[in-house]
Amino acid sequence: MTEQLSADDWIKQGLKALARSGFTALKADPLAKAMGVSRGSFYWHFADLSAFHAAVLKRWREIAAEEIIAGVEAVGGEPLKALLRRSFGARLDLERAVRNWAAFDPAAQTAVRAIDRRRLDYIEALLQRRGFSATTARARAQLLYWTFLGFALSGTPVPPARLQGLLDEILDMLSA
């Protein structure tokens, strides 16, 4: 890479390394080597590894919640259905990697708790928009989120046609 790298370039490379190799890959030397630069560029943008980790976690929160929510809201139609398709249809390597990281790092654990809360609040709001009481929406949001986490953490591929059938069943159960 001949052009000067930005902090965002480092964060993007960090997210790729995290999804591919786990949190132990989030170090200046291997990232610099993968990008074909010296690690001096890393320290130009980040005071230390902790600052870099914080930036990676912040970007993950944006990708894994805010960008998804904005996309769901932008498409119109039935937002819960769009959320299910987008969430269950996504590659979830990064989700698994961050949750694994959270088992070993308090900052990652805090980020995971924050995103869990944000996602649950959003699902609950969607269910309330569909006419469910606050209590019912909260319970169903929790059940749906646990379903998503089980799916995400299992890492088991599901053929698209079968996945669509499962998502239809989830919607039916939520609406019952």
Side-chain angles (χ1 to χ4, degrees):
M1 233 177 202
T2 55
E3 73 263 7
Q4 189 172 17
L5 296 174
S6 67
D8 195 52
D9 293 325
W10 284 99
I11 293 166
K12 286 177 184 173
Q13 186 66 31
L15 289 168
K16 287 179 193 171
L18 176 59
R20 184 176 48 251
S21 304
F23 69 95
T24 58
L26 296 178
K27 297 177 183 161
D29 285 331
L31 292 171
K33 190 176 286 186
M35 296 170 77
V37 298
S38 73
R39 67 185 183 133
S41 171
F42 178 91
Y43 290 107
W44 175 259
H45 296 291
F46 304 99
D48 56 24
L49 206 51
S50 292
F52 175 65
H53 288 174
V56 167
L57 288 168
K58 180 179 184 227
R59 182 68 182 124
W60 172 69
R61 288 191 311 266
E62 292 165 0
I63 292 167
E66 301 315 316
E67 288 180 10
I68 289 173
I69 291 169
V72 165
E73 292 296 323
V75 294
E78 174 53 59
L80 188 58
K81 190 173 191 172
L83 178 64
L84 288 174
R85 268 197 311 267
R86 190 157 183 178
S87 299
F88 284 81
R91 290 204 51 202
L92 296 167
D93 300 341
L94 189 56
E95 182 81 25
R96 286 188 294 276
V98 172
R99 289 182 180 281
N100 184 49
W101 184 10
F104 300 93
D105 182 270
Q109 190 175 74
T110 298
V112 166
R113 279 195 203 114
I115 204 156
D116 287 347
R117 181 76 268 143
R118 175 68 172 116
R119 288 169 170 173
L120 278 165
D121 289 346
Y122 181 64
I123 296 166
E124 188 176 330
L126 289 179
L127 291 168
Q128 285 182 5
R129 278 194 240 165
R130 292 182 109 198
F132 291 103
S133 70
T135 303
T136 301
R138 188 174 309 114
R140 290 183 186 198
Q142 186 69 67
L143 291 169
L144 177 57
Y145 196 58
W146 284 339
T147 301
F148 166 74
L149 289 176
F151 175 79
L153 296 176
S154 75
T156 305
V158 178
R162 179 151 194 261
L163 180 59
Q164 186 55 55
L166 293 171
L167 296 179
D168 290 343
E169 284 295 324
I170 290 170
L171 275 172
D172 288 347
M173 288 186 329
L174 285 171
S175 299

